[in-house]
Structures are given as C-alpha cells and as structure tokens.
Amino acid sequence: MSLLATTSIAKIADYADQTVTLSGWIHNKTEKGKLIFLMLRDGSGMIQCVVFKKNVSEACFSQAQQLTQESACRITGAVRADTRAPSGYELDVQEVEIISLTQDYPISPKEHGVEFLMEHRHLWVRSSKQHALLRIRAEVIAAAQEWLNAQGFIRFDTPILTATAAEGTTNLFGTDYFDLGRAYLAQTGQLYVESGMMSFGKVYCFGPTFRAEKSKTRRHLTEFWMIEPEVAFAEHADNLVLQEQFVSAIVQRVLERRSEDLRVLERDLEPLKRVVPPFPRLTYDEAIDLIREKHHEVEGCLPLAWGEDFGAAHETLIAQQFDRPVFIERFPSAIKAFYMQPDPDRPEVALCADLLASEGYGEIIGGSQRIHDPALLEARIREHGLSIEDYRWYLDLRRYGTVPHSGFGMGIERAVAWISGTRHIRETIPFPRQLYRLYP
Ligand code: 4AD
Ligand code: MG
C-alpha cells in the first residue's frame, strides 16, 4: 500500500465528515487518561488528531502512546469541524501507523539559543516560525518571477562561474579553473543579463550570487539570491517606476496569499499595506542634508561628507522619515560600480538608485541606467583598474546596436527579512552562508 496521504491538511476542509488518511510528523503530544491529542504536521498545515481509547483498538492506542515529537506516522480518521481548532477541523482517529519513531529530538518547545538553532538548521526548518518564514520566501520568489513573466520579461539564466568581477574586486570568491586560470563566483548576473536584454528587450536573471564579505552584520550573507531585471530603451526614471511596481506587487501578493504565515510571525501588516506606488524619491545630496539635520535621531548615526557612502544607521534614519520604501538616487559615481551611466547634467553623480525598505530593514534594491557609449565604458573600465581584454564581450554589446538601458537587482533575503519582519537575514534562507557559518 502507498504511504501517501488521501489529502493534505491544507485541503482538509474539502473532506469534512469523511474519513481520510494523513501522513506526517508529530509536532507534539498530550495524554489525558483515555485521550491522546496528537498535533500532526504534514508540511501543508497542522491538525489536532484525537485518539479516544474506547473508539480504537488496543494496538492503535498503544501505537499512539509510543509516538514522540517528530516521529513519522500515518493517521486515519474522520474529519470533524471544530471552531476551537486552529485549522477549523480535528481528526477523530480510527487508526495510527508508526512509520518511524524519533528518540531525543534535539529541538524541544523550550527556548534555545540562536547558535544552537543555527547548528541544527537542518532540523530547525521544521519549526513553526521558520516554516512560515520559508513559505514567505517561496511566495516572494514566485511572485517576483510571475509578475515579471506577466509583464513580458524572459528569464535569461546567467553563469555562476565567471572570469571577471562586476561589483568590485575586493569581495570575490575564486577557484582554479583547469588550464584557464582563475574563475570567480558571480557577484551578480547583470553583465550577462545585459546581453540577453539586447536579444529579448526585457529579461531577468535569478540565482545565487556570492560576495566574500568579511562583515558580520545582520544584513549580509556571503551567498544570497538575487533577481535582476534589465530593460532595453529604459532610462533612469523608467527604472524607478518599474521597481516600485515590482516591489508593491510582491508585497501585496504576500499579504493576500500568506496572511496565515505573517500571523504566525506576528508581523504588523499596516506598514505592508502602505507599500503602493509612488515611493518617495530623495537624491543623495538631499539625503546627506537630511542626515546632517537629523542624525541625532538614530544612535551611532554620524553626519557624512559629500562622497561618503551610507552605513546601516544612515539608512535607518532616512527610512524612518517615510511611511513606505524610499529611493535614494544619484549617488557619487566614485562610490558606485563602473558600469553606471553618469548624469548628463552633473557627471560626478550616477543615474542610479538604492531602494531602502521601510522600518529600518535597509537597502533591498540596487540599480542604475547603464553606460551605453563604448568609449565612455572603456574609459571607466580602465579607471577601475580592470582589464579591457576581460570585458571585450561586454564592450561588444555597446559596439553592436547599443541603446540606453537600465536594470536593478533585488536581494531575495533582504526583501524577505523586511516583508516577514525578521530582524536577521540568516533566517530568511534555508542554509545561510556567512563569515562564520558553513555548517550545516
Ligand atoms: O547593490 P548591489 O550590489 O547591485 C548589484 O549587484 C547590481 N549588479 C544589480 C543590478 O543592477 N542588476 O546588490 C543588489 C542587491 C542589494 O540591494 C541587496 O538587496 C542584495 O542585492 N545584496 C545582498 N544581500 C545579502 N547579502 C549581501 N552581502 C548582499 N549584497 C547585496
Ligand atoms: Mg547596493
């Protein structure tokens, strides 16, 4: 006989007053004399299963008694509506079949330190909050891709092993690549997705990206997932409109479809409901003035000289002045990537923007218009101390049919941390990779 269930707990409402078999794991168990309450989870939801001694065989009652936290089993019973139950239904158990008994499950309902939980990440992902969080992650990824697909974007996959740097040379992970020298793990798919843009007009890439960041902040991972749309003929202002539509579509879909998970995480929904276009736009210069004026509002936030980059405290200060995400545009070119188009009216700043999430979750998007002039791009590559030979193919994109174009990258984990209201980015990915974490 197949071990598969009749249905999943998520669909249990369709089976009211019918007998079903559910396969899953015991979340917890309570015994009260002739009654055993089994909280069963199957990945799709949780349901209380009630074993009443007088309704089942002795063998069945004894099987139920043996079950421990995280034991796997199959339970057959009648679905009964119960307004007090979290799922609205309970199962009146008729049969219990043990599939595997678990002894000494390390994560108990009591509080554990985060280090302990991180060491047991492979098991921690079963816990209610982690489960809710990772479902939201899956929804964010699906929402992002489906929204872009519906807008006519084509997914264009870019390589992870690459020969060159795109976002600076100081945080590259390298490896020997046969007889061809060094290969680097991609920091971004952008340069390659620009080639797709010239073929399809509107494209995006989505995949893991890598930064050998020696920083231990709650916003940095060494391996993170990024979705990067790129649009031919789009200029800086078009890019910002696309971003605010994209982000609000994702947030609204999570609100719609993952309300139960947001509830488990105790997320305040009001700030999320306000995530609708237009988002405020602030220039870098205005942001510098704002920081000078209000830096005392946030601890550790110091005024900046023009040309300096923002730290986490500056981003928090700026974000808290607004009720929805805010763009900071036109940063000094000197602190941004080599490929960014200079502002024609003020060449010392770039036609770029960072999108800061509300409520102090920091930058979730970085994007820009790209240099489309081959001579200027070549000059910038040289200024950044990079080799023209390495970027020959990228320069070709400016040699053959070049057009103004723009794009951006949204870090999935940053977006999920913000939307789910999770302080630390390490919980927003199944297996975080950080300076001090490579296990499990
Ligand atoms: O601002 P970044 O570095 O931009 C790029 O990589 C561009 N090539 C994107 C593009 O225009 N196509 O990174 C973009 C986003 C950040 O806003 C942030 O959300 C995320 O990627 N990110 C990180 N997330 C987690 N850990 C890190 N170390 C991250 N670095 C960037
Ligand atoms: Mg950035």
Side-chain angles (χ1 to χ4, degrees), residues 31-184:
E31 283 194 64
K32 280 187 189 144
K34 296 189 162 91
L35 282 170
I36 301 173
F37 298 98
L38 302 169
M39 191 56 90
L40 183 77
R41 61 166 191 86
D42 71 348
S44 80
M46 268 206 245
I47 190 166
Q48 174 154 279
C49 306
V50 185
V51 193
F52 191 21
K53 194 161 187 180
K54 83 174 176 33
N55 290 349
V56 297
S57 68
E58 235 168 77
C60 170
F61 197 76
S62 133
Q63 294 259 301
Q65 277 180 315
Q66 288 173 58
L67 287 170
T68 51
Q69 186 193 356
E70 290 307 315
S71 285
C73 59
R74 266 158 60 87
I75 301 184
T76 301
V79 179
R80 178 169 46 80
D82 185 327
T83 47
R84 291 162 306 173
S87 63
Y89 294 88
E90 280 194 346
L91 204 69
D92 282 333
V93 176
Q94 295 157 4
E95 270 170 63
V96 172
E97 182 191 334
I98 294 172
I99 294 174
S100 70
L101 277 180
T102 286
Q103 237 85 62
D104 305 323
Y105 187 66
I107 303 179
S108 60
K110 74 163 202 273
E111 285 281 306
H112 294 281
V114 74
E115 266 314 301
F116 176 88
L117 291 168
M118 274 297 168
E119 281 296 300
H120 294 85
R121 184 65 176 162
H122 50 297
L123 303 176
W124 191 23
V125 294
R126 304 178 190 187
S127 301
S128 307
K129 286 202 168 174
Q130 298 306 312
H131 188 260
L133 192 43
L134 293 175
R135 277 184 94 112
I136 290 173
R137 175 189 171 94
E139 193 69 46
V140 166
I141 291 171
Q145 293 201 79
E146 286 167 27
W147 189 84
L148 290 170
N149 293 344
Q151 308 292 316
F153 283 74
I154 300 292
R155 176 170 163 153
F156 185 86
D157 297 319
T158 54
I160 288 172
L161 287 167
T162 63
T164 50
E167 299 292 332
T169 49
T170 56
N171 59 7
L172 283 169
F173 280 112
T175 180
D176 290 327
Y177 197 82
F178 308 109
D179 295 333
L180 298 181
R182 295 291 280 171
Y184 304 99

Side-chain angles (χ1 to χ4, degrees), residues 157-226:
D157 297 319
T158 54
I160 288 172
L161 287 167
T162 63
T164 50
E167 299 292 332
T169 49
T170 56
N171 59 7
L172 283 169
F173 280 112
T175 180
D176 290 327
Y177 197 82
F178 308 109
D179 295 333
L180 298 181
R182 295 291 280 171
Y184 304 99
L185 298 181
Q187 299 161 305
T188 167
Q190 182 199 317
L191 305 196
Y192 292 94
V193 97
E194 284 183 54
S195 135
M197 172 275 302
M198 295 286 279
S199 170
F200 296 96
K202 299 203 281 189
V203 289
Y204 66 94
C205 59
F206 174 53
T209 43
F210 305 85
R211 310 264 168 110
E213 311 250 25
K214 291 229 165 99
S215 53
K216 290 194 294 179
T217 81
R218 63 190 174 91
R219 293 177 184 170
H220 288 91
L221 295 168
T222 55
E223 177 178 313
F224 62 97
W225 288 64
M226 184 153 57

Side-chain angles (χ1 to χ4, degrees), residues 409-436:
M410 183 181 82
I412 295 293
E413 294 74 17
R414 296 264 186 99
V416 172
W418 165 54
I419 295 171
S420 65
T422 304
R423 213 183 107 76
H424 205 299
I425 197 172
R426 67 187 160 210
E427 292 178 34
T428 64
I429 184 165
F431 294 97
R433 295 292 172 247
Q434 296 166 279
L435 187 52
Y436 294 114

Side-chain angles (χ1 to χ4, degrees), residues 167 211 336 354 363 365-367:
E167 299 292 332
R211 310 264 168 110
K336 289 290 182 187
D354 283 0
E363 176 198 329
I365 287 183

